[in-house]
Amino acid sequence: MALWNVSKGFQSSTGQDVNPDLDIERKTTSFSVERLTNILDGGAENTQIRRKVDAVLQSDPEFSRENKYFLSQNERYEGAVRRSLYLSKKTEEMGWAVDGPEQKYCYRALGDDLAFSVHNVFMKSILGLGTDEQIAKWIPLAEKHYIAGTYAQTELGHGTNLRGLETMANFDVTTQEFILNTPKISAMKWWPGDLGRTATHAVVFAQLYLKGKGYGIHPFIVQIRSLHDHSPAPGITVGDIGPKMDFAQTDNGYLMLKNVRVPKENMLARFSQVLSDGQYVKRGTDKINYLTMIVVRVAIIRTEVLTTLMKACTIAIRYSVVRRQSELKPGDPEAKILDYQTQQQKLLPQLAMAYAFHFGCDYLQEIFDQGYAETKQGKFDLLPELHALASGIKVITTEYCSAGVEICRRACGGHGYSLLSGLPSLYTKLVASCTYEGENTVLLLQTARFLIKCFGMAKAGQPLSSSVAYLSFTSSGKCRAQEKRDFLNPDVYTEAYKQRAFRMVENAAIKLQTLIQSGTAQHEAWNLCSVQLARAAAAHSHYIIVQNFVKALKKFEKEFHIQRILKHLCDLFALHGIFSNMGDFLQDGHLSGKQSDMVTESYLDLLAVIRQDAVPLVDAFDFSDANLNSAIGCYDGHAYERLFEWAKKSPTNNQGNQTFEKYLKPLFQNALSKL
């Protein structure tokens, strides 16, 4: 088998240990795989740290993922809790800081097999919304798992619409307590992870009422289970919501509250507080309640969404060079399926998309870091733009990556349907991200609301923030491309994306304004425009990704081979988007019919170019075999051998067949005298 080295990652394939069909792919690499890995990691130092973390985890049998696909839901849950607590001890033993890079690399390697994922959101909400005193009280307890937390926002009847939440919190001046209640079944908290069986405490979002007057949604720390025997606290009804499409290791739960009292100091009060006499004091903006969701969205895009697509691409592309099927040329041996243009057209755009979203994440992280720092200082000017960016980018990454993983799975044929390939569980995990931390249609409409406001500001001559500055521009009219190679010019395709986004925002804004001026109520007009508004927000977000991938290329001007391969990927990502949404680009005449043919030709030409480096490009993601946990995606390419070895481990192959004894034996014995 191929060896994985702490300092160098996977070693060069040698001899018979690696499938020759995969081995040869690595001998013609046009760029430094190690350098590209360093870029993806944010520097060579980070690569070394990540590999050392991986080596520590893979050398410890407690973190083995062997036979994962044969475990029951209870076994997955219990193993995740055990593994998470063991990891905490291991982290302390290794001297890894709580907020250090080692933590995110542990999650990258083990995330699917760990518990307490929402416990981390519980802590982030306290860090973001709590006072210094509240942070000092609760965070040390949570970090040591002396308490287990969850984030109880979503209700049975309400999700993304925070203002519609129905859980109530009334302040009792006499006892200096908040009294929390679930007024009806639709107000029951539903879906929070770690709530079903684990959590002792929850950050509960509820409508605050003072002397009968409502003050909107506020977060409260509520103890929901006893620290002595884990029984529900007085007034608490709590449990697990039952089986789901995936996330067997996570105990998503429900929560009802009946006259549950919490002390006044349990309302997270960095941005608002209730004084002893019941007076309400506000600091900042109502939008601050979105802060925790923004924090989580930014984190999951890179750590869960993007990483999952990268894994799927790695598995599918490696498999596609060891799987041979039919003849490309009569009389020749069966061809690698990645040599077929149809297979390239399935997989290589997903690969380009993974790289595009990587650089898009870098941009979003930069804006987030700036906005978060300003928010902590009581400045909220950047928050609307940050919310719109995080919402829009969350949508297109989760939508496109979910679809991309499914394309990768189907591209592997029948073996992609096997859990042992690793692909089905990647898909069922990722597709949930289209709903959690903000349902995607709702998020697009929230981004659209920001865009419509900015469009109005542009028309009034007011300055705009950087991500929407293009709304002030004058249409460039026709595309200037004269031949197909012109579409490999980033200025040409970036302009096309900008033109599309501008036109779709403008058209939605004009229709909205026309309806309102004709007497249609504003809320009704918004609903009548909602499909166009959502499409405009998606076009805007797509433009942001293309724009920032192009900008990222400039960082590598002194690295010819790296810049060249990244430029190919950027071109492919952009042209695939035009090819797949050609109607949008033809609609206002920016592209002509002849130019659309040029786009198609350039796009298809790029498939053959990137095909030559497809395996090195997924090797640069630097997933170990343990990370992938795929029988068909391992570094050495021995897909068939692993499928057979892993299948033999199935419990059904190693236990008595009671079904035969009960039902089949009497029938089969009737044939004994006749055969």
Side-chain angles (χ1 to χ4, degrees), residues 330-351:
D332 278 1
E334 288 190 300
K336 297 178 178 182
I337 61 174
L338 195 58
D339 287 335
Y340 291 95
Q341 189 184 63
T342 50
Q343 188 77 348
Q344 295 168 16
Q345 203 268 337
K346 292 173 186 176
L347 296 180
L348 301 186
Q350 316 315 319
L351 177 61

Side-chain angles (χ1 to χ4, degrees), residues 420 631 638-650 653:
L420 303 183
H638 293 306
Y640 300 150
E641 293 85 347
R642 272 193 181 78
L643 271 174
F644 180 47
E645 289 301 317
W646 288 19
K648 288 191 293 185
K649 296 177 182 178
S650 172
N653 291 323

Side-chain angles (χ1 to χ4, degrees), residues 157-183:
H158 289 89
T160 306
N161 179 22
L162 289 183
R163 285 181 288 186
L165 298 181
E166 298 174 299
T167 301
M168 300 172 62
N170 288 278
F171 184 60
D172 185 339
V173 176
T174 305
T175 62
Q176 296 290 291
E177 293 173 316
F178 293 102
I179 307 171
L180 280 80
N181 276 286
T182 303

Side-chain angles (χ1 to χ4, degrees), residues 54-72:
D54 274 354
V56 168
L57 299 179
Q58 290 170 31
S59 65
D60 192 322
E62 182 59 42
F63 299 118
S64 171
R65 306 175 80 189
E66 188 176 359
N67 302 329
K68 167 186 172 179
Y69 299 119
F70 303 123
L71 299 179
S72 68

Side-chain angles (χ1 to χ4, degrees), residues 21-22 25-26 309-323 336-339 343-344 346-352 354-355 408-409 411-412 423 569 610-611 613-619 621 632-634:
D21 282 339
L22 193 52
E25 300 282 336
R26 297 182 172 120
L309 177 63
M310 288 176 168
K311 287 181 177 180
C313 287
T314 302
I315 294 167
I317 287 174
R318 286 178 180 171
Y319 176 71
S320 292
V321 298
V322 300
R323 175 73 170 187
K336 297 178 178 182
I337 61 174
L338 195 58
D339 287 335
Q343 188 77 348
Q344 295 168 16
K346 292 173 186 176
L347 296 180
L348 301 186
Q350 316 315 319
L351 177 61
Y355 278 90
C408 289
R409 187 196 66 76
C412 292
L423 291 165
L569 291 164
I610 294 175
R611 158 68 186 92
D613 281 310
V615 168
L617 282 167
V618 296
D619 284 351
F621 297 147
I632 67 173
C634 288

